[in-house]
Amino acid sequence: DIANYGLHDFLALCQLVGAEPWFVVPSTFSTTDASNLIEYLGGNTGTPYGAKRAALGQVTPWTQVFPKIHLEFGNEAWNGTFKGGSIEYAEPYGGRAQTVFGVMRANASYAPSSFDLVLGGQSSWPGRNADIQNNCNNNDSFAVAVYTMGQVDSYTDNESLFGSTFAEPEALMSSSSSTEGLTPGMIYQDYQAIQSSSHPVPLSFYEANMGTLAGAISQDALNTYAPSLGAGLMVADTMLQGLKQFGVV
């Protein structure tokens, strides 16, 4: 069963484990919803939504609990799988984020140092990411997902399988290598696209994992490969390579 819990419980969990919360703001939010969210997170108990927070047992504003609260506009809004909650074209998505983030910033409870307002893009389409970013200057960062080993054809021995596995993290960040269908590397292109946009901001990963959705690899081999130590090391290396090369967190 899916564990259904609300924002208060999620924030309490983040506090318990010492994590900065990353909350997906629904792309269906009204500007009133967006403003109220900021008041709930940062308002004092004399505000309507600060009082709602206090009634749940959290008197101190959440902005005083966490160093940073990350608010991403939509979960893969570009992804047509989520129709009804998606904005699939760059200009309207960036434009709507500009409006929503602008309302958040205008709320009296908003403190710039307490929030990271995040736009989301598709890592395999750097050009669209640039178009999204060119339509918004109210965000603080831009996030993509990095999925690796999308096609696995060579797997009969460890050298064949893990040689390419361990090479891909560096290739993703390279200005000359080819991987995941892109040359130069996918994350290199994403970073360059955002930095050359009209509003350069830091790049983040909102997801990181292996893809392994295509290729000749057998199901038995895949069942061993996906949960392997080597695969885990590659995912960690991908995140560390992004941090080293481009400051991606």
Side-chain angles (χ1 to χ4, degrees), residues 167-168 171-172 174-186 189:
E168 182 153 321
L172 287 166
S174 171
S175 62
S176 58
S177 297
S178 298
T179 185
E180 298 300 324
L182 291 177
T183 307
M186 182 169 65
Q189 289 199 47

Side-chain angles (χ1 to χ4, degrees), residues 17 39 92 98 133 158 163 169 188 192 214 233:
V17 302
E39 188 173 277
Q98 175 76 357
Q133 185 62 24
N158 282 341
Y188 173 87
Q192 297 300 327
L233 289 171

Side-chain angles (χ1 to χ4, degrees), residues 140-210:
D140 300 300
S141 64
F142 194 100
V144 296
V146 53
Y147 279 83
T148 54
M149 300 305 291
Q151 180 166 329
V152 184
D153 292 314
S154 301
Y155 63 96
T156 54
D157 55 61
N158 282 341
E159 178 63 26
S160 299
L161 181 58
F162 289 102
S164 55
T165 298
F166 293 148
E168 182 153 321
E170 291 187 28
L172 287 166
M173 316 298 163
S174 171
S175 62
S176 58
S177 297
S178 298
T179 185
E180 298 300 324
L182 291 177
T183 307
M186 182 169 65
I187 302 306
Y188 173 87
Q189 289 199 47
D190 287 326
Y191 179 79
Q192 297 300 327
I194 299 306
Q195 297 315 303
S196 61
S197 71
S198 59
H199 179 56
V201 293
L203 190 67
S204 299
F205 292 152
Y206 66 84
E207 290 176 5
N209 210 335
M210 292 201 305

Side-chain angles (χ1 to χ4, degrees), residues 4 33 72 80 99 108 111 118 124 135 144 152-153 162 169 216 223 231 238:
N4 292 310
D33 293 329
E72 182 183 8
T99 298
V118 187
S124 61
N135 281 281
V144 296
V152 184
D153 292 314
F162 289 102
N223 290 345
T238 299

Side-chain angles (χ1 to χ4, degrees), residues 23 25 31 34 38 70-74 93-107 110 116-120 133 136-141:
F23 178 70
V25 177
T31 52
I38 295 300
H70 307 267
L71 300 177
E72 182 183 8
F73 184 58
Y93 171 64
R96 182 59 180 170
Q98 175 76 357
T99 298
V100 168
F101 288 159
V103 168
M104 288 181 171
R105 291 179 182 277
N107 188 283
Y110 184 86
D116 171 30
L117 304 183
V118 187
L119 273 179
Q133 185 62 24
C136 184
N137 61 19
N138 273 331
N139 63 309
D140 300 300
S141 64

